[in-house]
């Protein structure tokens, strides 16, 4: 069974440009999460989708970040315009449901460098 | 002040050693505690999960939680070179979705033969 897949694995863009990251969760997983880790910091929660609805977006840093999950399948995270401090690793994770016993599975991350 | 404090290391031990990894936290709302392992250029992988004070054992791994002291530990017995990775503690408050985790910074562990 395929795991959580993320694309692109690496991206280098200039400040002010736009980048769109994509996440394909494990098939059948209604819950999808975005996290990020910026240099020298801990992994931080960004938001949580249940199917196509945003359950919790309390971790989104500002309105330059837009997450979507049309149709409740894959999700995109767009950064527009990108700033230097957005550089880091963006992780996507998914779980079958959001009860206590359910494991969430992480993708390998999308590494973003803003220059 | 960070909600979760974790010594980033790095920690280097010989094969066969007992490894102790620790996190402290300040948020009393945290009720669920996890340890993740992350290999280089990979995503975090769940190792251990617990929600009560005390010990939980799984093979060579033991997770310990002391809610009164706001302190959690992960012990690795008979460490192997394949245990070399970054170990992340993670916590979740009650009443929040399972996936809304607060992570420590991670401890880089190297086990040398």
């Amino acid at each position: 069974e395929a795991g959580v897949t993320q694309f692109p694995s690496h991206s280098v863009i200039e400040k002010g440009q736009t980048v769109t990251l994509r996440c394909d969760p494990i098939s059948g997983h209604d819950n999808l999460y975005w996290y990020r880790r910026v240099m020298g910091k801990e992994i931080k929660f960004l938001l949580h989708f249940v199917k196509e609805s945003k359950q919790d977006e309390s971790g989104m840093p500002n309105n330059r970040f837009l997450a979507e999950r049309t149709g409740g399948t894959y999700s995109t995270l767009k950064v527009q315009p990108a700033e230097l401090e957005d550089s880091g690793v963006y992780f996507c994770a998914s779980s079958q449901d959001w009860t206590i016993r359910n494991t969430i599975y992480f993708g390998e991350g999308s590494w973003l460098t803003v220059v | 002040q960070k909600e979760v404090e974790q010594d980033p290391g790095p920690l280097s031990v010989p094969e066969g050693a007992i490894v102790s990894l620790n996190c402290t936290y300040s948020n009393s709302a945290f009720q669920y505690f996890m340890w993740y392992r992350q290999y280089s250029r990979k995503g975090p992988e769940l190792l251990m999960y617990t929600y009560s004070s005390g010990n939980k054992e799984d093979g060579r791994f033991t997770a310990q939680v002391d809610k009164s002291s706001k302190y959690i530990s992960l012990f690795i017995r008979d460490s192997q070179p394949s245990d070399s990775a970054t170990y992340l503690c993670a916590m979740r408050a009650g009443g929040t979705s399972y996936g809304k985790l607060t992570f420590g910074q991670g401890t880089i562990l190297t086990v040398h033969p």
Side-chain angles (χ1 to χ4, degrees):
Chain A
E1 178 182 315
V4 177
T5 55
Q6 295 188 242
F7 182 83
S9 57
H10 292 81
S11 183
V12 181
I13 63 170
E14 293 184 351
K15 176 182 173 180
Q17 289 188 322
T18 298
V19 63
T20 300
L21 311 176
R22 173 172 168 144
C23 169
D24 286 75
I26 294 173
S27 178
H29 282 194
D30 288 338
N31 293 270
L32 186 148
Y33 314 88
W34 283 99
Y35 284 81
R36 77 170 179 176
R37 182 171 192 161
V38 297
M39 187 67 69
K41 300 283 189 178
E42 63 275 13
I43 298 172
K44 284 197 171 180
F45 169 86
L46 296 179
L47 89 160
H48 170 205
F49 282 101
V50 178
K51 297 185 180 180
E52 67 274 11
S53 300
K54 291 175 184 174
Q55 178 78 15
D56 183 342
E57 53 184 328
S58 61
M60 295 289 267
N62 52 61
N63 59 11
R64 296 186 294 104
F65 290 76
L66 175 64
E68 295 180 321
R69 192 183 182 195
T70 307
T73 55
Y74 71 91
S75 174
T76 58
L77 180 64
K78 180 188 290 187
V79 186
Q80 179 182 30
E83 298 289 345
L84 298 179
E85 63 265 24
D86 300 331
S87 295
V89 187
Y90 290 76
F91 290 106
C92 178
S94 72
S95 67
Q96 192 166 22
D97 63 48
W98 60 298
T99 59
I100 189 172
R101 290 176 177 79
N102 230 284
T103 301
I104 70 169
Y105 297 88
F106 282 81
E108 295 190 350
S110 288
W111 294 73
L112 173 65
T113 303
V114 182
V115 298
Chain B
Q1 182 189 4
K2 293 180 182 177
E3 286 188 288
V4 180
E5 297 279 357
Q6 182 177 7
D7 185 345
L11 185 61
S12 180
V13 302
E15 183 175 355
I18 296 174
V19 176
S20 173
L21 304 166
N22 312 293
C23 288
T24 60
Y25 63 96
S26 57
N27 188 346
S28 298
F30 288 141
Q31 294 184 20
Y32 307 100
F33 306 92
M34 288 137 275
W35 285 94
Y36 281 82
R37 177 175 61 195
Q38 185 179 16
Y39 291 114
S40 181
R41 300 286 174 169
K42 299 292 185 181
E45 171 193 19
L46 181 66
L47 264 182
M48 299 283 288
Y49 163 82
T50 185
Y51 58 88
S52 57
S53 284
N55 294 351
K56 181 177 181 180
E57 192 172 315
D58 184 2
R60 296 184 296 111
F61 299 90
T62 299
Q64 190 175 77
V65 174
D66 182 348
K67 289 187 178 181
S68 62
S69 301
K70 296 189 179 65
Y71 186 88
I72 70 170
S73 299
L74 178 70
F75 298 95
I76 307 174
R77 290 184 300 279
D78 187 26
S79 56
Q80 302 295 310
S82 57
D83 295 328
S84 299
T86 297
Y87 289 80
L88 303 145
C89 62
M91 305 179 188
R92 178 173 77 82
T96 60
S97 73
Y98 181 78
K100 187 175 182 180
L101 306 177
T102 301
F103 282 89
Q105 197 168 352
T107 300
I108 300 170
L109 171 67
T110 302
V111 181
H112 51 86

